[in-house]
Amino acid sequence: MLWPENVEIGSCSGYHRFQFHTWCLPLISITFWIFAHTSFFMTTFVNLSPLPLHLRLNRNRSSSSFHLHRSSTSPPFLLRKFTLPKRTVSSVLQTNNGVSSTSDSCSTEPNSFNNDVRIVAVVGDGAISPLKSASWIDVMSHTAERLKWIDDKYEMLVFTDNIHDLNPNAQNLQKVLTTANILLIVSVTKDESVEWIKRYSQNIPNVICFDSSPALENKLGGSFVSVGNKGSLFSKLNKKTKETLELAETISEAWIRHNSDDIRFCLLIIINAYIKPVPVLKNLRAQGFSTLNCMVKNCGRQVMNCLLDPNCRKALQCLNQCSPVDQVCNYKCIASYESPILEEFSLCVLQKHNCLDLDAKIPEKPNVTPMVNFRDQILSHDMAEDLFVGWLGNLDWSWRVVAGQNPAYDQFPCQYQLFYRGKARGSFWYEPVFQVKTLDGKLVWRRRKYRVKRGKVAGTFNFSVLDNGVVSNEYWTIVDVCEDFSWGLFHYSGAARVAGQSYTGAVLVSRNGEYPTNIDKNRLYLALDRCCIKEWELFDVDNCSCEDAPLGLPEGSRLHTILKPDESMIASDA
Ligand SMILES: *[C@@H]1O[C@H](CO)[C@@H](O)[C@H](O)[C@H]1NC(C)=O
Ligand SMILES: *[C@@H]1O[C@H](CO)[C@@H](O)[C@H](O)[C@H]1NC(C)=O
Ligand SMILES: *[C@@H]1O[C@H](CO)[C@@H](O)[C@H](O)[C@H]1NC(C)=O
């Protein structure tokens, strides 16, 4: 019995903050391993349907405008606020020679290829992405930087399709196309560009096209992946072709989520499948018999309990119906059916026995430095903790999240942060309180509790949390907090080691969750730059109906020691 969608594809796409949506991959894989190997479960769960196959590569113009339209229906309010055209990277790129050459400290800039991962991206000249209407050239140039965080030997060059044979840029593009092994084409529709690209890309084994002319074909591992009528042919395809199609499906599913993590993920899975293994995708590889053996030997009771419990089973069925890389879908399943039985299952299988034998590490890049001074004093550890404690005491919370960079987490409404000193000497805690919309449309509150330890440098911290049975460790940095406590920017990178997941993110916080009035935008831009985050990567947190949040502190908690926000410094905007 083949369950290719669980054995060969997988992951909930990688880079999240909370592992309750990160451990679903192992959970699904394990469970289907069991399904596939025991007749009891086969007969019980025959109704589980495999993932529908709908390839969305090479979408045409009208479907791309659908996505643009969709993103504009939820007004990107940060975009409205961030109108300062501080960065001119994109215009330089386009008028210069069309070659990516960003000047941030976050990037390096090759002009030719020296390594074995050689990606060329060609984007429509002036084409606008659905990521808060940032231009595709900006999005792809930033993707090139973000690839380097994974491995600085991954090379990606970005060009616009402003190509004709007299343009020096075209000669440069032609040159790099001779050695590229991945070509990514986005929003290229002009006939002459299409012809030009077809002429010079024949030898590239991997070509993927999005929002581009149907005349451009997708290729993976050297074979064309055609769209259309393959549904009926699917059953006749050989195993390798099936794998290719599934990979293509995973890519297109990830792509249409339109965030920088998923765009990078698309490239990583091609690299992983056709060029060389990508260690951060280790959890995509099938686990062998040792996994099952480990589970049966150590966690028989927990596995049985989960499979015999209607809710735990529903969670698995629900997860099976999500695309493995659709974080929102996967997360909703877990949130809707979250239970002690599910928690015991993952606590035993993953956390205690690491049956999948995974070992994700906290990403070291980008290297984000903490703020150094606050109100003309050198930041100390005590002061840094006070900054986290923020408005707590004046208000029932420390901070509320305005927007954040992590797609898996920051789409959830109403994020309150509680930071406080514990009863025990030197102890410090972080409790996020947030809403989740469940499958049946209900809004439920969730609350987690992190232990916080001081990092080496003031303004850095090590967080850890046991969440749904799996431990996550995170490294947090206070990037900036305004003197009047009107806003702050916190960066984090973390890993759920035994779930094989690592992730980075950042949150822009304010006193009441609204975009801070009178913000010094340059200062915010500088802070974002230090996180290597573009404003178009931020997701606005919906804070429209946040009444009755389960706030409140444990008895004996203590708040500020040195610094406090001064109510009178803030214009009344509560
Ligand atoms: C483009 O997509 C739309 C909607 O998906 C479809 O109706 C139309 O026929 C497509 N056009 C082409 C040229 O494929
Ligand atoms: C805190 O996290 C950093 C970054 O991951 C790590 O290097 C350091 O060892 C951690 N410190 C402690 C005490 O765990
Ligand atoms: C946040 O809440 C305020 C009211 O407190 C509301 O005006 C604003 O639209 C909300 N923003 C979002 C993104 O939901």
Side-chain angles (χ1 to χ4, degrees):
M1 185 71 206
L2 257 184
W3 294 90
E5 69 276 20
N6 303 300
V7 181
E8 283 145 12
I9 339 173
S11 149
C12 309
S13 141
Y15 311 96
H16 330 153
R17 177 143 165 221
F18 286 145
Q19 69 286 6
F20 38 64
H21 32 93
T22 62
W23 49 243
C24 48
L25 157 84
L27 192 64
I28 300 167
S29 307
I30 296 167
T31 312
F32 287 113
W33 221 93
I34 297 172
F35 289 162
H37 288 82
T38 60
S39 55
F40 167 72
F41 293 117
M42 281 313 301
T43 51
T44 314
F45 302 111
V46 279
N47 58 342
L48 289 174
S49 58
L51 291 170
L53 189 95
H54 30 87
L55 205 60
R56 292 199 202 85
L57 290 177
N58 215 346
R59 293 199 325 281
N60 65 23
R61 288 231 111 180
S62 62
S63 51
S64 81
S65 65
F66 165 71
H67 285 282
L68 284 174
H69 172 73
R70 225 176 41 161
S71 75
S72 63
T73 55
S74 61
F77 85 107
L78 279 170
L79 190 76
R80 251 189 288 127
K81 314 275 185 175
F82 284 117
T83 42
L84 272 190
K86 181 187 150 262
R87 263 171 262 156
T88 50
V89 173
S90 61
S91 47
V92 172
L93 282 166
Q94 280 159 47
T95 54
N96 208 1
N97 54 7
V99 180
S100 159
S101 60
T102 45
S103 53
D104 311 7
S105 59
C106 311
S107 67
T108 49
E109 34 184 291
N111 320 319
S112 63
F113 290 127
N114 300 306
N115 292 296
D116 43 8
V117 174
R118 303 181 295 269
I119 306 169
V120 171
V122 180
V123 304
D125 196 6
I128 298 297
S129 79
L131 286 84
K132 292 201 168 164
S133 305
S135 67
W136 272 120
I137 187 95
D138 282 354
V139 173
M140 284 303 149
S141 303
H142 189 49
T143 301
E145 293 164 21
R146 293 174 51 92
L147 272 173
K148 293 214 166 276
W149 302 349
I150 306 282
D151 183 336
D152 61 13
K153 293 201 169 60
Y154 293 170
E155 295 180 315
M156 172 161 162
L157 299 172
V158 184
F159 293 79
T160 67
D161 75 338
N162 185 10
I163 25 185
H164 42 82
D165 285 334
L166 296 176
N167 185 340
N169 176 35
Q171 287 161 22
N172 198 358
L173 174 56
Q174 188 185 332
K175 195 180 107 207
V176 296
L177 284 180
T178 58
T179 52
N181 45 22
I182 299 177
L183 172 61
L184 175 61
I185 302 170
V186 184
S187 270
V188 173
T189 49
K190 277 187 296 191
D191 287 342
E192 56 173 39
S193 310
V194 170
E195 285 313 309
W196 196 97
I197 291 169
K198 283 173 77 171
R199 188 160 1 120
Y200 293 111
S201 64
Q202 281 162 11
N203 296 324
I204 302 179
N206 304 291
V207 179
I208 51 171
C209 318
F210 294 104
D211 304 343
S212 293
S213 160
L216 290 162
E217 284 183 285
N218 299 296
K219 230 198 284 181
L220 286 173
S223 22
F224 286 103
V225 186
S226 60
V227 277
N229 74 0
K230 96 213 145 277
S232 55
L233 295 176
F234 186 58
S235 54
K236 295 186 200 134
L237 297 174
N238 65 28
K239 184 156 181 291
K240 181 159 181 290
T241 316
K242 270 190 192 172
E243 282 172 11
T244 307
L245 279 175
E246 281 155 9
L247 193 82
E249 187 203 4
T250 307
I251 293 167
S252 57
E253 295 267 2
W255 179 269
I256 57 171
R257 273 186 289 285
H258 289 145
N259 65 67
S260 47
D261 282 347
D262 277 317
I263 290 172
R264 180 174 65 178
F265 174 76
C266 289
L267 292 165
L268 291 177
I269 57 178
I270 298 173
I271 296 170
N272 188 57
Y274 298 109
I275 300 175
K276 63 181 195 183
V278 174
V280 293
L281 299 186
K282 194 173 136 220
N283 60 328
L284 292 190
R285 278 172 228 146
Q287 306 294 324
F289 182 74
S290 60
T291 298
L292 186 67
N293 197 32
C294 168
M295 289 172 60
V296 170
K297 203 172 96 202
N298 302 301
C299 308
R301 185 175 57 82
Q302 289 83 351
V303 171
M304 281 311 282
N305 284 349
C306 181
L307 293 171
L308 294 175
D309 175 73
N311 267 333
C312 205
R313 215 164 54 222
K314 267 192 210 153
L316 303 178
Q317 284 172 324
C318 178
L319 287 166
N320 186 47
Q321 279 154 20
C322 298
S323 155
V325 294
D326 186 343
Q327 301 163 22
V328 181
C329 181
N330 283 288
Y331 176 70
K332 277 188 183 173
C333 293
I334 308 278
S336 298
Y337 300 110
E338 196 175 297
S339 74
I341 295 176
L342 206 53
E343 182 174 348
E344 272 185 31
F345 177 99
S346 42
L347 182 67
C348 184
V349 170
L350 298 176
Q351 192 59 44
K352 286 204 182 131
H353 298 286
N354 193 10
C355 284
L356 295 183
D357 193 22
L358 295 171
D359 185 20
K361 302 256 184 336
I362 297 180
E364 286 172 9
K365 288 180 189 165
N367 178 19
V368 181
T369 52
M371 67 189 300
V372 177
N373 293 301
F374 188 85
R375 291 181 185 164
D376 299 325
Q377 282 175 277
I378 305 270
L379 193 74
S380 65
H381 284 289
D382 283 314
M383 287 164 69
E385 285 174 1
D386 288 346
L387 295 183
F388 267 157
V389 177
W391 289 94
L392 198 57
N394 303 56
L395 300 169
D396 291 335
W397 54 85
S398 298
W399 295 99
R400 290 184 59 180
V401 180
V402 180
Q405 190 264 324
N406 193 296
Y409 182 71
D410 294 309
Q411 62 197 303
F412 299 112
C414 302
Q415 300 183 29
Y416 294 87
Q417 299 187 324
L418 304 172
F419 287 97
Y420 57 88
R421 295 182 161 86
K423 216 170 179 174
R425 201 180 135 79
S427 66
F428 196 76
W429 301 93
Y430 166 52
E431 301 200 32
V433 177
F434 54 98
Q435 269 180 351
V436 170
K437 199 178 219 154
T438 66
L439 271 182
D440 37 14
K442 275 187 303 211
L443 281 172
V444 295
W445 286 103
R446 295 283 183 241
R447 181 166 173 156
R448 308 284 180 236
K449 183 162 181 168
Y450 290 67
R451 177 187 297 279
V452 179
K453 294 238 150 86
R454 294 174 176 186
K456 258 198 212 104
V457 181
T460 68
F461 299 87
N462 293 56
F463 285 39
S464 62
V465 64
L466 177 68
D467 187 338
N468 282 280
V470 176
V471 170
S472 269
N473 289 300
E474 298 178 357
Y475 183 69
W476 282 58
T477 304
I478 299 183
V479 183
D480 205 354
V481 173
C482 189
E483 273 67 24
D484 62 4
F485 282 66
S486 56
W487 62 274
L489 186 72
F490 307 148
H491 184 271
Y492 56 87
S493 40
R497 191 180 76 85
V498 294
Q501 299 291 326
S502 54
Y503 49 90
T504 61
V507 282
L508 172 63
V509 295
S510 75
R511 181 176 181 274
N512 58 7
E514 283 176 52
Y515 190 87
T517 45
N518 305 322
I519 188 168
D520 175 351
K521 285 175 189 143
N522 270 327
R523 181 167 168 179
L524 175 57
Y525 273 126
L526 284 174
L528 286 171
D529 269 352
R530 278 164 51 215
C531 302
C532 299
I533 289 175
K534 308 291 179 193
E535 60 273 41
W536 46 260
E537 290 182 274
L538 295 178
F539 297 82
D540 303 345
V541 170
D542 174 355
N543 59 5
C544 288
S545 53
C546 305
E547 293 78 37
D548 305 323
L551 302 169
L553 297 181
E555 191 130 343
S557 308
R558 294 162 301 130
L559 303 179
H560 310 85
T561 54
I562 302 171
L563 296 170
K564 263 182 105 137
D566 179 353
E567 197 83 49
S568 67
M569 286 174 72
I570 284 263
S572 74
D573 57 354

